[in-house]
Amino acid sequence: MITLYGSLDSGNCYKPRLLAAKLGLPFRHVEISSRDGSTRTDAFLARNPNGKVPLLELEDGRLLWESNAILLYMAEGTRFLPSDRYGRGVVHQWLFFEQYSHEPYVAVRRALVRYPERAAMATPERLAETLAGGNRALGVMETQLAKAPFIAGRSITVADIALFAYTQDAEYAGFDLGSYPAVTAWLDRVRADPGHVQLEWTPPEL
């Protein structure tokens, strides 16, 4: 059985758990967090020298880190990754968008308002910057989702899983999703897809 190391309150760690649930893929969850220093131990750094979660450990002991890389690995040969070359390219495009244009603003703003230890970093300037950047990203998504039911086209893919993780928590971070009706409708479509689970879900112990 594969093992996913991650933190239950992290959107990035939610991504592979959500995909595994939708795929009906059994896995073992090991709770580990950067907030308590457990990702900086020698034991964990031996698995991931970047000291971050999520981390996927395969049954044969091979390791894979970075949330979107894990999504692509898990989605291979499933309905969540197109079989044609262009379709995969479009999915990759949105995965890069998530990491470079969405996560640095929506996820970072969520962290600034969620975690007390980050209060010193939540300056008015930083909050304004993340709000503006997040709204730009949500605007790009709104334009796309006004044309297609899912972010990469007609069918749900790992691009939707990646972008759902933090967008579904965007209002908590101070974004007005009422201004993005196509995004809001898309969130409901992702939730309605079979096997959906909430952020802090873990599989039953086997």
Side-chain angles (χ1 to χ4, degrees), residues 19-95:
L19 180 58
K22 288 181 178 288
L23 290 173
L25 180 66
F27 69 96
R28 184 172 69 103
H29 169 76
V30 175
E31 181 70 12
I32 186 168
S33 174
S34 60
R35 297 177 62 216
D36 62 9
S38 53
T39 60
R40 304 304 302 176
T41 65
D42 290 343
F44 187 79
L45 290 171
R47 288 186 168 95
N48 180 4
N50 201 29
K52 294 182 179 181
V53 284
L55 171 68
L56 170 66
E57 184 172 3
L58 303 180
E59 293 177 344
D60 61 8
R62 287 181 296 171
L63 301 162
L64 190 64
W65 34 283
E66 294 296 332
S67 60
N68 289 350
I70 295 170
L71 288 182
L72 288 169
Y73 174 83
M74 292 171 61
E76 188 73 29
T78 76
R79 66 188 178 98
F80 288 92
L81 192 62
S83 58
D84 67 289
R85 185 178 182 182
Y86 178 75
R88 290 195 303 275
V90 172
V91 168
H92 293 170
Q93 164 191 281
W94 286 105
L95 291 177

Side-chain angles (χ1 to χ4, degrees), residues 94 97 135-151 179-183:
W94 286 105
F97 167 84
N135 277 317
R136 283 194 299 272
L138 291 168
V140 172
M141 293 174 65
E142 180 73 13
T143 298
Q144 172 64 10
L145 291 165
K147 300 183 294 185
F150 294 101
I151 202 71
S179 300
Y180 305 100
V183 171

Side-chain angles (χ1 to χ4, degrees), residues 5-21:
Y5 297 84
S7 173
L8 291 182
D9 64 353
S10 162
N12 281 326
C13 295
Y14 175 43
K15 296 176 191 177
R17 291 200 312 277
L18 177 56
L19 180 58

Side-chain angles (χ1 to χ4, degrees), residues 108-132:
V108 167
R109 185 178 172 88
R110 172 185 178 270
L112 290 174
V113 301
R114 185 180 181 99
Y115 302 123
E117 65 270 22
R118 302 201 181 186
M121 295 181 280
T123 63
E125 295 78 13
R126 188 71 171 122
L127 290 173
E129 176 194 11
T130 52
L131 184 64

